[in-house]
Structures are given as C-alpha cells and as structure tokens.
Amino acid sequence: MAYASVILTPTFKLSSSTGINPSGLCSPKFATERVRCSGTSPKSAAPRLVSKGCKLVGCGSAVPKQKFSNDDLAKIVDTNDEWISSRTGILNRHILTGTENLTSLAVEAAQKALEMAEVNADDVDLILFCSSTPDELFGGAPEVQKTLGCKRNPPAFDIRAACSGFLLGLVSASCHIRGGGFKNVLVIGADCVTRYLDWTDKKTCVLFGDAAGAVLLQACDSEEDGLYGFDLHTDGFGNKHLNAGMKHIETNLASGCDGDSLGFSPTHASFSYIQMNGQEVFRFVVKVVPESIKASLAKASFRLSDIDWLLVHQANQRIIDHLATKLEFPMDRVISNVKNYGNTSAASIPLALDEAVRSGKVKEGQTIVTAGFGAGLSWGSAVVRWG
Amino acid sequence: MANASWVFTPTVPHFNKPMISPLISTFRSRVYPHDRILKRVLCSSAVHGADKVSVSELKASRVVGKGCKLVGCGSAVPKLEVSNDDLSKIVDTSDEWISVRTGIRNRRVITGKDKMTGLAVEAAQKALEMAEVDADDVDLLLLCTSTPDDLFGSAPQIQAALGCKGNPLAFDITAACSGFVLGLVSASCYIRGGGFKNVLVIGADALSRYVDWTDRGTCILFGDAAGAVLVQACESEDDGVFGFDLHSDGEGYRHLHTGIKANEEFGTNGSVVDFPPKRSSYSSIQMNGKEVFRFACRVVPQSIEIALENAGLTRSSIDWLLLHQANQRILDAVATRLEIPADRVISNLANYGNTSAASIPLALDEAVRSGKVKPGQTIATSGFGAGLTWGSAIIRWN
C-alpha cells in the first residue's frame, strides 16, 4: 500500500560545532545561512527558515456548560443508561446550549494552550482549525484568530476531516513548520456534531458530544523534535458507512418569478443527519488502526514497548479496549475519557490529551502513540513526544 | 507586519549533495550508525519495517524533496449557463449593470443530480493526464472548498472516484476564495516538510447553493466550477514555488459570511434549556461588497509585493498576474497598482463569474490550454475573500 510517511529518529543529534551534520547533508545551520543570503532583498522581512523539528509545547480544552446524562437522553429517545454504558462506555456528554457556540469553545481551548506554552497570541503564525462543524460555511478559523487577538494577521484556515481531523492537523502543522518556515502553529480540534444528529435515532444520538481541544506545535532544532513518524490514509469507498450528505431545499424566488427563466430551480443546501453503519465502522477501525500504528512505529524506529501512552480517537470504550488488546498494550497506559464526553469528533484527542497532561498522568518527555479514524473513511497515526 | 512567508529561490544550490570533508567521516564513525543517519532524512512510501531495510535500499528511496513544481492542470464547469439577461428576469438588474460593475456576463450553475464532486473529479483527471501521472501515484489529495457535498468533506469521494489505489490521504481545506492559494502553499509544505511526492490540489465550489436568489447584490456574482493542479516534488533547481505570503483578518468576518442558523422547523421540546439541539444549516451569503472591494484592492498588491520580495524577484519578473476572479474592477485596480500591463492579466470571469476556490485553477487551466501561459513563465497569483483571508504566491508554470 503506497502511502506517504516520514522517518525521523529521535536519537539523531546534530553537531553544533561544525556546519556539517554527520549524514553529509547540509546542517540546518549551513542551510540557514544559504537561505538567508540568496535572493533576499535588503528590505525584506527576516526570512523564515526551515526548521527540522517541531514539538508539542502546550495544550488546552473546553466543553460546553450543560452536561447530559444517559438518563436525560432516555427521556427523549427509547434507550436507557444500562444499554448505552455497556455498549459504548459513555455515561455523559456535553452539548452547546443557549448562546454558546463552537468558536467560543475553540478560543477557550486555544487560550489555555497558549498559556501553558507561554506563547503570546501575537507570536502564533498559523492557526489550523480542524472541524467538520464550524459556525461559518467559509470556515471557523478566522473568527478564532480574531477573538484570540492575534495582531499580526496570521493565516487561519480550516481542515475538514471528521474524527481524523486533529491528527491530520498535527501532521499538517509539522509539515508547515518543517517545509514552510512557520514557527508557532495552533492546532485546534473542535466539533459540535450534535447539531447534525437525528435525535430520534437512538443508535447515533447517544454517541456524540461537543467539545474543543488545542495544541501548540512549535518549531525547534532536530534534537528536540517531538513528532517522530506518521502514517495517514483515506479510503473514499468507505464513505457509504459514515456520512452526512448534502440535501437540497427548494428556495423561494421573488414573487412572480419562476425557475423557468433561469433554466433551473434554485435550491439551498443543507446537510442531512449523520448516517452510520456502526458495525462496518467498527470493523474498519479495528482492522486499519493497528496496522497504521505499526507503520508509524516502524517509521519512527520505535517499538510499542518504548511507548508510554496510547491515545486514540475517543469514539467509544469498546473500540479503545479492542485496539489496546489487539496491540497488546497495557490498559493502564491507555488514555480514555470517553465516558464523560462521548465522541467529540476532532476534539476528542486534544481533549483527552489535555486532561491527561493537566492531571499529571502524561509527563513531559513521555511518548504517545496517537491515532484518529472516522468518516471519509480516513485514518492515521503518529508517534509524538509530549513536551 | 510579521507574516508567514517562505524564502526560496530557484538559484539556491541543491542541498542534498553530500559534502565531502574529513570531519564528516569522523562524525559518522564517532557518533552514529550509518543506516540511522540516512534514515533521518529519508521518507518513504510503501516501506514496511523500515528498520529492516538495508542502507543501499534506503539510499534509493526518495529523499525529502526540497523543490516542488506545477506539472499539470485541469478544470470543469457545469453545463447550464445562466446569462445576465436570464438573471434580469428574476431580480431587478440588467446585463448592462452587471457587466459594467463586475465584468461578468455569464456563469455556470450545477443543476439536477450533478454534484460538485463530479466537477472536481473531471478537473483532477485532466490535470493528471496533462502531468502524465497515474492516479495510483497521487499520495495526497487536497480539496479546497467551502461547499462540500458531505458535512465530513468531499475529498475522500473524489479519491475513490479517481481510482487512487494506495489509499492516499485526502481531506478538505476550507478557506473560501483563498482556498486554492492556501492549498497550493500547503502542498509545497507537505512536499518539502512531509515527504509527499504527487499532491493534487483541487479548488471546487458550488456557491450557487448558498446564494439568496432574491438578492441582486449577490446572486449575480457567483458561479460553480472546479479546477485542479498537480504539484510534484522535484530537485531544488527545478523548484517552482518561489515565495508566498498568507494572512487572515477575522475582524473582517462581518463583511462576508454565511453563518449557522438553527432551523425552527426541526424544533426542540420547547424546554428552557434547548435540548435536543436544533437542526443546523448555513444561511445565505451576506456580503458588504464595498468593504470587500476596498479590502481586496488594499491587501492584494501588498501581499504580492511581499511574496515577490520573499522570492527574491521583482515585478518585472512576472509574466502573468492571476488573481482570484471575483470582479474585473478588482483585477484592473490591482494590475494598475502593480504596474502590470492589462494584456498580462489573466481573466475569464466574464464567462464564469466568481467561482470561489475554483477560480484560480480554472483561469490557469484555460490560459495554459489556450497557449497563453507557456512552460517556464512566472505567475503572481493571489486569492482573497471570506475570513477575511488572503494569500499570494509566486510560481512558475512548468
């Protein structure tokens, strides 16, 4: 299977005493000088330079105020706490209500990440907003940028990749740092999938919650590099198992006018409810995710036994348990908070990471294998170091 | 203003040639095993158990490409053409009013069962054909759109329809009319910093679905289309993305947006706390045309100048100006400001209107296939729009 993945070894150290690195390739220092000198006019801003490494330096998360238990759901749909918790491990979820919106959650998560990283909003030079459910058709990232108060107009755009969104965002951030000269990249995973659920369908409405999580990825020297390897894929044929397709609603033309003049009847688009074949999705996940994790580990030259934590997309506890078992990874090293929040799509990984870091569970310098998977179907994994 | 911009010149020597020095051998033998060192900068596709691969095999693998070039393009538009006269029958406007103020005469609209993804696939196929690259060799597919056919994005379905066998990653980038330029710059980052080799960048939008067809201020402006470019990894000396400059200003959000509205018909149980959540959809496009016009005329020339500086080039290096095809007046104003002659400005918005993320690759494709843009020519391209977001890049058509 052809795929793009990057091999980086964590133990590679650059010599700082010469401009030449041991591989015989130009070291960043030498490369730095070349890039500075060639082709820049005297008036230009300081050119950005390729950094060979990137590291996770801050995280944050936020959830809506209102919590809804399984019992709350049992009042509006034919289900019960025992059914939900035994099949999914979910006990509660948080849902946006009132004047809350996704942007405000994302901003809160981002602010906390910046605070932990001790990085000013003005020093952020790229914001990646990973979401399938932004508050704005044209993307939620710019509003987050504005509310955070990033004064230098850093580019801010959305990545739409469902539950794999955050992982893609993290890898994208590393590519933008390594290949584009960016320095402080905010990667936010935020979703309010509950807006697109059929609340009469007990098979789906019990699974999801709303949340936001954020990580600051920062450029650094190779020896500090904290993203060791990744493996990412999509299989569009699997779209039929998990989707929320477009549907068209006839719109009103001005009175007295009709579509014949135009040659078509204008419609307004909206998305249908989320449709999911749970069994197929489960089968897909337990097949591809362990393979992907093994591929990432190989690229990173790590063995699973070297890894401190397993952090997969928090879809449901059964999937998490199944993956850990298949990988023969000890359960006490598996991060899980799905019981409190349900499946929060792109937010789930940074939300779980943030809780694990702030509770003291995940410590600086520890390695994590993280994996995302979901609609697309898309999936991927990465081997990272926290801090 | 600190900005994200990339310094790369076509004259930068090739980084990857080994530097021969006694110091290296010393380092090699003293510090690290040889195979680990080579692994450090190699990236692979379809490598299984990389730590078992021999050194010579690793040497044969792809080295992270320091350059990237544009090697193929394609585009597709819907069949149905809607003229200014057609529109004047449903809103209070006229062909004269629209064409004088915008330069637009016709636009294409997706109808019936046609989908945006269908257009995107067609555009991508043409780009692959021109590039002589097989769908199976695509290792990343970026769909730049604000109007996907699925909440979760449409890139995966395009990947499937193209028949890309290796399960290459495919995802959507949402950045409105700046989407394609951002996608192009992102592609260069994925190639330079992530080891990707053949990146399909597709700009496709169907804004006709979000337009208020009773609002003559907006419904006259937009059309549907798709365009695609294949960006390929290459050696530094062949590099074709010379410099860029990207920005957003969320303060400008209010001038151009289409926010979430809760649909009353999918109601709640009427309780104080609105649970279950109301069904959501996006409203029609709201735009303050004057402010957006002012914004574009102000930021685009600046951004192109910065991208040129970062590329180590001057205005005189530009063979073609290729802007997001929003409005002929904006194109004219920017060209005048940059002192680029009108006959070097690519424009096809008269036929298609503002096709959002599709507009740049659609115009590029027509210009390439008509023989206007020739291999080796330098293009200053700039996207701008909702966000507000804008970005420029100085590129070479291969």
Side-chain angles (χ1 to χ4, degrees), chain B residues 93-142:
Chain B
T93 189
S94 69
D95 174 53
E96 201 252 342
W97 195 97
I98 299 172
S99 54
V100 162
R101 279 161 186 74
T102 70
I104 301 168
R105 294 199 171 271
N106 294 288
R107 74 281 297 144
R108 302 291 182 103
V109 175
I110 286 183
T111 54
K113 293 207 168 65
D114 290 342
K115 287 182 167 182
M116 181 273 290
T117 43
L119 294 180
V121 169
E122 190 184 333
Q125 279 168 336
K126 290 174 180 170
L128 288 175
E129 202 180 293
M130 185 192 285
E132 293 176 358
V133 169
D134 221 63
D136 290 346
D137 294 324
V138 171
D139 50 9
L140 176 59
L141 192 157
L142 301 177

Side-chain angles (χ1 to χ4, degrees), chain A residues 1-9 11-13 15 17-18 20 22-26 34-35 38-41 43-45 47-48 50 52 68 72-73 76 95 97-98 125 132-139 142-143 145-146 152-162 168 172 175-176 178-182 194-196 199 222 230 232-237 239 243-248 252-254 257-258 261-264 266-274 298-299 301 375-376 378-379, chain B residues 1-7 9 12-19 23-24 27-28 32 36-37 39-50 80 82 86-87 89-90 109 111 139 146-153 156-157 159-160 166-176 182 186 189-190 192-196 207-210 213-214 244 246-251 253 256-260 266 269 273-285 309 311-312 386-387 389-390:
Chain A
M1 178 196 291
Y3 48 82
S5 39
V6 178
I7 304 168
L8 293 167
T9 76
T11 58
F12 185 88
K13 287 182 180 19
S15 160
S17 57
T18 73
I20 313 296
S23 70
L25 299 176
C26 301
R34 273 185 166 171
V35 173
S38 53
T40 54
S41 70
K43 287 190 219 159
S44 67
R48 295 200 171 244
V50 180
K52 294 281 185 279
F68 295 88
D72 291 326
L73 264 56
I76 59 162
I95 295 176
T97 55
D125 51 10
S132 303
T133 55
D135 291 331
E136 162 60 51
L137 180 78
F138 292 130
E143 270 247 81
Q145 181 236 49
K146 169 194 105 179
R152 296 176 176 188
N153 293 336
F157 61 91
D158 288 29
I159 285 177
R160 187 188 287 262
L168 261 67
S172 289
C175 293
H176 282 77
R178 293 195 178 114
F182 291 87
T194 60
R195 284 178 182 161
Y196 298 92
W199 285 92
S222 316
F230 64 84
L232 301 167
H233 298 279
T234 298
D235 176 7
F237 288 105
N239 170 265
N243 57 70
M246 180 165 287
K247 47 182 228 173
H248 301 274
N252 296 322
L253 293 175
C257 301
D258 63 68
S261 325
L262 283 179
F264 74 105
T267 58
H268 190 85
S270 72
F271 296 110
S272 68
Y273 292 128
I274 292 170
K299 303 303 166 290
S301 297
S378 286
W379 69 99
Chain B
M1 175 200 291
N3 51 60
S5 38
W6 174 249
V7 180
T9 78
V12 169
H14 182 27
F15 284 166
N16 295 338
K17 294 195 172 63
M19 307 287 291
L23 216 45
I24 296 171
F27 267 110
R28 274 185 175 155
Y32 293 108
R36 271 216 157 197
I37 293 159
K39 261 200 234 175
R40 168 69 177 82
V41 292
L42 292 177
C43 54
S44 65
S45 43
V47 173
H48 300 281
L80 182 70
V82 175
D86 293 331
L87 288 178
K89 293 175 189 150
I90 62 156
V109 175
T111 54
D139 50 9
S146 304
T147 55
D149 289 334
D150 190 298
L151 180 75
F152 296 126
Q157 286 179 286
Q159 179 239 50
N167 289 335
L169 180 64
F171 63 92
D172 289 30
I173 284 177
T174 307
L182 261 72
S186 287
C189 293
Y190 292 122
R192 296 190 220 278
F196 291 87
L207 280 182
S208 65
R209 292 170 179 162
Y210 292 94
W213 289 92
T214 67
F244 64 80
L246 307 173
H247 297 281
S248 292
D249 178 8
E251 297 283 351
Y253 166 83
L256 178 49
H257 58 268
T258 160
I260 278 274
F266 301 99
N269 56 9
V273 172
D274 43 352
F275 176 74
K278 294 192 178 99
R279 173 77 175 283
S280 287
S281 68
Y282 294 106
S283 69
S284 298
I285 297 168
E309 262 184 38
T389 292
W390 66 103

Side-chain angles (χ1 to χ4, degrees), chain B residues 142-226:
Chain B
L142 301 177
L143 174 67
C144 313
T145 186
S146 304
T147 55
D149 289 334
D150 190 298
L151 180 75
F152 296 126
S154 283
Q157 286 179 286
I158 294 167
Q159 179 239 50
L162 281 173
C164 304
K165 294 222 168 25
N167 289 335
L169 180 64
F171 63 92
D172 289 30
I173 284 177
T174 307
C177 301
S178 307
F180 184 77
V181 172
L182 261 72
L184 205 61
V185 170
S186 287
S188 74
C189 293
Y190 292 122
I191 287 171
R192 296 190 220 278
F196 291 87
K197 200 162 184 234
N198 284 303
V199 184
L200 248 180
V201 184
I202 304 169
D205 266 309
L207 280 182
S208 65
R209 292 170 179 162
Y210 292 94
V211 147
D212 177 355
W213 289 92
T214 67
D215 174 17
R216 68 176 185 178
T218 50
C219 76
I220 59 171
L221 299 173
F222 299 101
D224 305 335

